[in-house]
Amino acid sequence: MTDLFAFKLLRPEEWTAWRESGVFAGAPVDLADGYIHLSAREQVRETAAKWFSDVDPVILVMVDLPPLGDTVRWEVSRGGALFPHVYGTIPMSAVAGHSKLRLGADGTHAFPAGFD
């Protein structure tokens, strides 16, 4: 895959811990699975709906993949699609941006304008 960016959804306390420590080793699900789960742009809405439907707000973190080198592997996951997984940690320096997503009246997270 040649995507330059991928996305991580986090609970606010997980994002705070990442900012304070300067490095992200994973959320509980990542630690249990042995790698950090990320989503490509076209996958992240479904990830939000499937795993974060009750989290308000959820933090959308944009991760710059090239600096992570070969710790990034695109592997088959949900529905046979390739998802980016990080076998290592993600430094704050690889964060290209973040947004706070709130649940809308329709029960889905509102993504930033132009995200699609």
Side-chain angles (χ1 to χ4, degrees):
M1 298 294 295
T2 59
D3 291 25
L4 296 178
F5 298 99
F7 298 87
K8 180 67 180 171
L9 294 167
L10 297 170
R11 289 170 167 67
E13 62 273 15
E14 294 166 340
W15 173 236
T16 298
W18 186 352
R19 286 190 345 257
E20 289 175 354
S21 72
V23 66
F24 184 66
V29 67
D30 303 319
L31 297 172
D33 289 347
Y35 56 87
I36 299 172
H37 295 262
L38 300 177
S39 296
R41 179 179 293 268
E42 64 273 8
Q43 298 165 331
V44 73
R45 286 182 188 271
E46 186 178 345
T47 299
K50 183 172 179 68
W51 298 107
F52 295 88
S53 63
D54 61 342
V55 181
D56 186 22
V58 67
I59 309 301
L60 174 71
V61 181
M62 185 178 191
V63 177
D64 188 12
L65 295 179
L68 302 179
D70 60 6
T71 66
V72 179
R73 297 184 200 153
W74 289 82
E75 299 176 318
V76 175
S77 190
R78 185 174 65 227
L82 293 176
F83 278 75
H85 297 151
V86 175
Y87 288 84
T89 59
I90 304 173
M92 227 18 225
S93 61
V95 173
H98 72 283
S99 297
K100 183 185 293 185
L101 307 182
R102 302 306 302 248
L103 284 173
D106 64 355
T108 64
H109 289 95
F111 280 74
F115 188 80
D116 293 328

